[in-house]
Amino acid sequence: MKILGIETSCDETSCAIVEDGVRVLSNAIYSSAAMHNKTGGVVPEVAAREHILKIVPVLDDCFSKANCTIDDIDLIAVTDGPGLLSSLIIGTQVASTISFLKNKKIVPVHHIIGHIYSNWLNVEEKIEFPVLILTVSGGHNELILMTGHNEFKIIGETLDDAAGEAFDKVARILGLGYPGGPLISKAALNGDSHAFKLPLAMMGKENLNFSFSGLKTACLNEVKKYVICHPEFISGSTMSKEQSQREMLKQVQHDLTLSEQFKNDLSASFQETVCETLSSKLMLAYKKYPNVKEVHLAGGVSANKRLREVIAGKLPAGVKFRNPLEFSFCTDNAAMIACAGYFIYQKNPKKYKSRTNIVAHTRFEIL
Ligand code: KG4
Ligand code: ZN
């Protein structure tokens, strides 16, 4: 069975062909991330315009890489939410149009369920349930117990920002660019992770929820302290100290004033704090649910090598720990959506019809 996956929930336009749920025949991805570098984050209108321009070429690309045509497709799977509404609409409308024109069945897929299924892609052996999953992306951060296909229970979640959002914002404060995750981890390679003592939030023994907004503020405070400690900027200025700080922070974003060592050290300390927080919460969940057969890491931040290393080091030997097999399966991509669509469809094939209009939404709750 060949499934066409379509994903446009944020700044990646992606179309993929996946066979029998797990075998990736193609996974074409265009990212407009470089266009959001100036703004240090995604501007929804800009992302949506890029999806409109790129969706047809990306669709063509996914068919040619998989060496098949639209007529060979048995099922369409599309992300219907949550995400940026103006971006989601492009993918859902393209999927619905194909469903009407070619009489194809269509399955709407929750974006986070898509990320969860990234750990099935190109995996040959059978994955055993129950699975404990830590999903860490730019918009969401959850601990999930998966007891079967399309059966989920959220056991912990972020009460404010997701870890990926914190990576992006700290990178912005440091003037590193967007997306922050890969840039922070690169800077961290030359930094001292003990240079700054940053807060580990909500570490109570029973608490499986997360909070990352305090960590973001703590990093901003370190930058402010750095500004104050550098009188060469403030002296000679006719501005008040507060105005100087504000100006300094503006300039910081243009990479004018912070030393490389400071950026590297704060990146390393921040990354280590995030890894320590996420891995401790995952271990707490593992202790609470010791019967799980596997532990999975999913979402854009699962691309972080240090996070993988820290988690693998804490889990008891013999526990099956998976990350997506390719880095392109970690961040937003349509192969994971096709995979999720396949397993969701298999559970209830009669529910899904051809000639269906899928309506995009921003709700998270359907998990
Ligand atoms: O899952 P994703 O592609 O999009 C959402 O669903 O939000 O995740 C994007 C997030 C961004 O915040 C990005 O900075 C982060 O994943 N990310 C990383 C790395 N690669 C991407 N964070 C840490 N380390 C990385 N190597
Ligand atoms: Zn995502």
Side-chain angles (χ1 to χ4, degrees), residues 123-326:
V123 170
E124 284 176 12
E125 70 269 21
K126 194 165 180 280
I127 291 181
E128 301 286 337
F129 294 110
V131 181
L132 173 64
I133 304 154
L134 173 64
T135 61
V136 243
S137 60
H140 302 282
N141 206 157
E142 287 87 28
L143 275 163
I144 294 170
L145 199 61
M146 185 177 183
T147 45
H149 284 299
N150 208 19
E151 288 170 22
F152 308 99
K153 182 178 168 202
I154 297 182
I155 55 172
E157 62 195 328
T158 182
L159 301 183
D160 42 53
D161 299 324
E165 154 82 9
F167 268 100
D168 294 338
K169 286 293 148 30
V170 171
R172 184 175 172 178
I173 294 166
L174 293 177
L176 294 177
Y178 174 85
L183 298 163
I184 294 246
S185 43
K186 188 165 169 229
L189 290 175
N190 299 314
D192 172 7
S193 61
H194 300 291
F196 298 94
K197 188 148 178 44
L198 299 169
L200 293 156
M202 307 188 73
M203 297 306 275
K205 283 208 165 60
E206 289 299 315
N207 196 339
L208 292 179
N209 290 329
F210 308 85
S211 163
F212 287 104
S213 70
L215 177 57
K216 237 167 56 177
T217 309
C219 290
L220 181 62
N221 287 340
E222 291 300 338
V223 174
K224 284 182 184 165
K225 269 191 239 160
Y226 178 91
V227 170
I228 292 165
C229 291
H230 284 68
E232 68 273 19
F233 179 78
I234 295 167
S235 67
S237 165
T238 53
M239 290 183 278
S240 70
K241 214 167 175 181
E242 285 69 32
Q243 276 174 321
S244 302
Q245 275 185 36
R246 234 179 290 131
E247 279 309 303
M248 184 69 143
L249 285 172
K250 262 194 235 155
Q251 288 195 27
V252 158
Q253 290 174 10
H254 295 289
D255 206 9
L256 292 178
T257 43
L258 297 172
S259 76
E260 285 305 307
Q261 198 54 54
F262 176 84
K263 289 194 271 191
N264 294 344
D265 286 348
L266 192 56
S267 293
S269 304
F270 164 79
Q271 177 175 261
E272 208 56 27
T273 307
V274 173
C275 293
E276 185 50 35
T277 309
L278 291 172
S279 58
S280 302
K281 294 281 176 182
L282 183 60
M283 286 314 298
L284 198 60
Y286 180 74
K287 283 190 186 120
K288 226 173 156 175
Y289 298 94
N291 297 331
V292 296
K293 297 270 176 20
E294 302 201 0
V295 176
H296 294 184
L297 179 62
V301 184
S302 69
N304 190 285
K305 288 188 184 144
R306 181 68 189 139
L307 179 60
R308 293 175 175 199
E309 211 172 78
V310 173
I311 293 174
K314 285 189 182 184
L315 281 169
V319 176
K320 183 72 198 169
F321 173 51
R322 289 182 204 271
N323 311 288
L325 285 185
E326 291 183 20

